Amino acid sequence: MVEIFEPHAIEKRSMEIITEELNGRTWPEPQFSIIRRCIHTSADFDYADNLRFSPDAEKIGVKLLRNGCNIVTDTKMAFAGINKNRLEAYGGKAYCFISDKDVIEEAKERGCTRATVAMEKGGKLEGPTIFAIGNAPTALIELDNLIKQKKIEPALIIGVPVGFVNVVESKELIMRSGVPYIVAEGRKGGSNIAATICNAMLYYNGEI
């Protein structure tokens, strides 16, 4: 029998179902909120096992967002999915440079991906920056290169590209990079998951 819910109650009931189906498994907050929202977005309980957090990464992310940091995404889809009203209320701003004319032209000239050039451009922003990568392994590879060259120091990397080519390897690079990270190990992820992780930290209102 179909249950009828008021719109505001649908998410609440969904989270209740997720919690029930986790069969008592819990994580310290705000990790638990991030994991549940990723499951809610995807209906995929694998995120209970494949999300990896560097020490205190989720707390670092919440603090950064509450203090008005930048978010740079690799896709317009991830950019669109971030709650920019909430982000801007904290004084932060989201950016996606992937379709900028200068990025497109430089990528053609250099024979590299637009994601590579977009990460370089994002690294020039002033202030702490979270990089939320849901599609392009080359974005993670370039971030790792820039970190090694000491050209950038990301405040946090959300590394959740989805796919088959260099996806697993690029995530492993980030987990060895020495910067705070939230990574979905393996092939799963996506722009929606990158945005979801950002939103989960934006929506978290507990103490840190």
Side-chain angles (χ1 to χ4, degrees), residues 2 10 13 27 35 37 41 55-56 63 72 77 97 102 110 121 128 132 146 162 183 188 200 206:
V2 175
I10 294 174
R13 181 58 186 138
W27 292 258
I35 290 167
R37 284 200 174 273
T41 292
D56 293 326
K63 287 179 181 177
V72 172
M77 184 182 293
F97 301 119
D102 59 331
R110 291 167 51 185
K121 187 170 181 178
L146 293 170
V162 60
V183 164
K188 292 186 177 182

Side-chain angles (χ1 to χ4, degrees), residues 123-143:
K124 295 174 183 176
L125 293 171
E126 293 185 6
T129 301
I130 293 173
F131 289 85
I133 310 304
N135 181 70
T138 54
L140 293 185
I141 293 167
E142 182 59 21
L143 287 174

